Every structure is written in structure tokens, then in C-alpha cells.
Amino acid sequence: MSQKNEWPLWEIFVRGQHGLAHRHVGSLHAADAEMALNNARDVYTRRNEGLSIWCVPAAAITASAPSEKGPLFEPSNSKVYRHPTFYDIPKEIGNM
Amino acid sequence: MSAQSQKNLQQYVLRLADNALIIGQRLSEWCGHAPALEEDIATANTALDLIGQARNWFAYASELDTDGRSEDQLALLRDERDYLNVLLVEQPNGDYGNTLMRQFIFDIWHFYLLEGLTRSADATISAIAEKSIKEVNYHVSRSSDLIIRLGNGTEESHGKLQEALNNLWRYSGELTLSDALDDEMLALGIGADLSGVERKFQAAITRGFHEASLVAPKIGYMQRGGKTGVHSESMGRLLAEMQVMQRSHPNLTW
């Protein structure tokens, strides 16, 4: 298959049996959304991983550039008080 | 159960087993060769579903076997004339369009056949049918989706599917053709009512072809014979490949 005829790329998110949120599991090619769902079912949920699938066109994702890592994320490194590590979460709360 | 009726029941179960095994074997020939990675995985999944279903049928056929043959011996060591699958499932893959068309025709028929078998008076048959039909439901939706897409796709994709349909439709008659064994199993409440299956199959497949802008050819004589062990020429080569391990290393296990 030549590059220019390739189906568009989709990013696949699956909510697992016990997961609370959809988690990115990988990507695949498909001609449209319906086919992306079918392919995602076959590629990513055959071992009973999923309860729900989201397919997002990869082109629709706006990503931060790796080169901006410093300006974007470093400032928060030194602000340890922003990290919620000083609390003991009671067991009864469960997942937060 | 008399020895003869046990033998007949086993023949009926072997037909179901062989259909699933042989089309599973054909589909698995695509593993590593399908036109796109996603299709490759999906086709292998379908093949595995069908071989899994075949195992359930073979396990039951082995239970019914008066010679005490195992699942593997039944699946992999019979001679060509003892395989009872319909001719459609042994037809060579051809191009991907041909494989999809074969699968589409098979899936729709398979679904209604299993639906009938879920009401079988034989508890094992109805249980296996119940388990299999969930997978087959997905097979139907997948192959319908692809046939409708490609039938309405480019001139080339439409042409390939129409050609595949022209070549394969002559094997569709045997799917719902009732013979003495089918009649006996139906009378006992064990088998599916093939005339009912035919009505539903024809209605669904006509709808599918219409949506895919395809036309089934008029066939004067429908091919038949697989159900009684008379196969087409490609069956020998399929069996040679499928059986080579068991034949050269008898009793081999994984």
C-alpha cells in the first residue's frame, strides 16, 4: 500500500473492566470512525480488556512539543506544596 | 440411543464441526498476508473464533464416536471423503474481495443456522450454538460493513466484489438444501429447520447485496456434494496442508 493511499490514523482509548477513565492504548488506521471502532475492537479488546472504546482522529489531537518541556513543566517541579502528598486518604474513599 | 441414531447424530455434528474448521483454516491462510495490519488481526481473530467453535463441535463428535477417536483424530486425520463441510467454505481465498464475499455469505447463513440450533432438543448442541452465535453476530456485522463499503467504493473494489459474487454464488444453494439426515434431525427436534433458515438467509443477503450495489447472478445449477463428502478439487490441497503435522508426527500435541 502506498503512503498516500493509507487510511487516516486514529488514537484509541479503552475503558477497562475496573478502570474509571478511558486510557490511551495505541493507534490504528481506518477509513472512517465506524471502521476505526471495529478495528479497535479486534486489535485492542480481544482479551476482554474493554467496556467502552473511544476513537479519536489523530489529526484532531493538539500535542505539546517535546522542546517546550522546560518552560511548560519545570516551574512546577520546585513547588512541592502543590503535590497532594501530605494527606492520608482513608481507605473508605476508594479511588480518587 | 441406538448405534445407528448415534452415528447419524455424530454425522450431523461433524458437518457443523467441519464447516467451522475448514473456513477457519482458509481464513488463517491470510495470517501475515492481509492487505492491512488491522485486517490481518481481524481476520485472524475470526479464524480463531471459528476454530474455537469447531473444537466444541469436535469434542461432542468425539464423545459420540463409537471408535473412540479423539477431537484431534477427527479434526486432522480423516480422509477427504469423510469431511462433511459445505463446498463454499473450502473455496480458495483468491483475492481479499473474494475472501470477504465468501465470508459474508457464510456469516449470514451461519448466524441463522445457529439461531435455529439454539432451540435444539439436544442440550449440547443448543449450548454450543448459544455460545457461538455471540461471536457470529459480530462476524456478520463486520463482513456486512466491509461488503457495503467496498461494494460502494471505487470501480475496482465494486468490480472485484461483483466478480467474487459471480464465482461464489453457485455454492450458496447447498447451504440450505435439506437431505435425509437434515430431515431426520429436524424430525427429532435436534436439527435446524433449513427451510426457515433459507427464508431468513435469502432476505438478509438480498438486503445486503442491495445496500452494497451488487447483484447475485442467476445460477441454473447450484453446486452440491460437500455435505456428503464429495468435495471440489481445492479440498485436497487444503487438507494436505492442514494435516501434514499430524500425519508426519502422529499424536503430536502442542
Side-chain angles (χ1 to χ4, degrees):
Chain A
M1 200 190 293
S2 74
Q3 281 294 320
K4 70 172 188 246
N5 285 339
E6 232 175 271
W7 297 325
L9 190 67
W10 298 75
E11 299 300 329
I12 308 303
F13 300 79
V14 171
R15 184 157 68 83
Q17 301 284 351
H18 306 292
L20 297 169
H22 285 72
R23 203 167 57 82
H24 184 233
V25 290
S27 53
L28 50 76
H29 291 92
D32 61 20
E34 199 186 340
M35 190 173 171
L37 264 185
N38 272 353
N39 287 347
R41 183 263 189 200
D42 280 318
V43 177
Y44 293 114
T45 69
R46 10 184 347 236
R47 291 175 191 86
N48 203 21
E49 296 94 333
L51 287 174
S52 162
I53 303 173
W54 286 351
C55 303
V56 180
I61 291 178
T62 309
S64 62
S67 59
E68 290 165 25
K69 208 171 113 194
L72 279 177
F73 306 119
E74 246 159 50
S76 63
N77 258 350
S78 54
K79 302 179 178 64
V80 70
Y81 49 86
R82 289 186 183 170
H83 297 263
T85 50
F86 308 109
Y87 309 96
D88 288 325
I89 297 169
K91 258 208 190 82
E92 301 80 65
I93 302 284
N95 270 312
M96 260 186 86
Chain B
M1 206 188 312
S2 78
Q4 188 56 45
S5 44
Q6 180 170 340
K7 218 175 169 88
N8 291 352
L9 176 59
Q10 191 204 25
Q11 294 283 298
Y12 190 77
V13 173
L14 279 175
R15 285 180 177 179
L16 299 165
D18 289 342
N19 285 333
L21 175 69
I22 300 298
I23 200 160
Q25 170 73 14
R26 275 291 185 224
L27 284 180
S28 67
E29 290 170 15
W30 276 108
C31 191
H33 303 279
L37 177 67
E38 291 78 4
E39 282 303 313
D40 201 288
I41 295 173
T43 305
N45 274 350
T46 309
L48 281 175
D49 283 351
L50 290 163
I51 289 172
Q53 293 172 18
R55 284 203 60 179
N56 292 329
W57 294 122
F58 278 119
Y60 188 36
S62 165
E63 248 175 69
L64 294 166
D65 196 66
T66 42
D67 300 324
R69 284 174 296 178
S70 69
E71 216 181 291
D72 275 355
Q73 285 171 321
L74 286 172
L76 300 170
L77 289 174
R78 280 174 299 152
D79 289 329
E80 181 176 326
R81 288 297 296 262
D82 300 324
Y83 280 84
L84 305 174
N85 54 281
V86 292
L87 296 174
L88 176 72
V89 298
E90 73 202 38
Q91 297 312 307
N93 286 339
D95 60 24
Y96 205 65
N98 193 73
T99 298
L100 288 176
M101 181 54 72
R102 187 187 60 203
Q103 198 60 32
F104 177 59
I105 298 171
F106 175 80
D107 288 341
I108 291 192
W109 168 69
H110 197 201
F111 179 83
Y112 291 117
L113 178 70
L114 289 173
E115 187 190 61
L117 291 174
T118 57
R119 295 186 291 269
S120 174
D122 183 299
T124 311
I125 290 183
S126 65
I128 298 174
E130 197 80 55
K131 188 158 183 266
S132 308
I133 201 165
K134 294 186 194 114
E135 293 170 342
V136 174
N137 201 353
Y138 179 74
H139 300 167
V140 169
S141 92
R142 208 188 113 73
S143 55
S144 309
D145 178 71
L146 286 167
I147 290 287
I148 291 165
R149 243 168 227 292
L150 294 169
N152 297 309
T154 62
E155 206 174 304
E156 185 186 359
S157 71
H158 174 85
K160 282 189 170 176
L161 281 191
Q162 184 61 55
E163 194 192 329
L165 177 53
N166 294 345
N167 291 333
L168 290 168
W169 192 240
R170 72 195 66 187
Y171 301 107
S172 68
E174 187 186 25
L175 302 178
T176 50
L177 186 72
S178 206
D179 65 3
L181 180 58
D182 290 309
D183 293 342
E184 183 195 336
M185 289 300 139
L186 177 61
L188 292 169
I190 294 172
D193 171 19
L194 286 182
S195 61
V197 173
E198 179 172 20
R199 259 195 322 277
K200 292 176 185 170
F201 167 76
Q202 290 293 348
I205 206 141
T206 306
R207 211 165 44 238
F209 289 153
H210 178 74
E211 277 184 67
S213 313
L214 299 166
V215 183
K218 297 257 174 296
I219 301 286
Y221 176 76
M222 286 286 186
Q223 298 290 321
R224 63 172 80 161
K227 285 168 75 166
T228 49
V230 184
H231 293 282
S232 48
E233 74 174 290
S234 50
M235 183 68 172
R237 285 194 293 276
L238 180 148
L239 290 181
E241 187 175 330
M242 191 175 81
Q243 296 187 336
V244 64
M245 292 301 280
Q246 276 296 327
R247 296 254 187 232
S248 30
H249 306 279
N251 302 321
L252 172 86
T253 54
W254 290 102

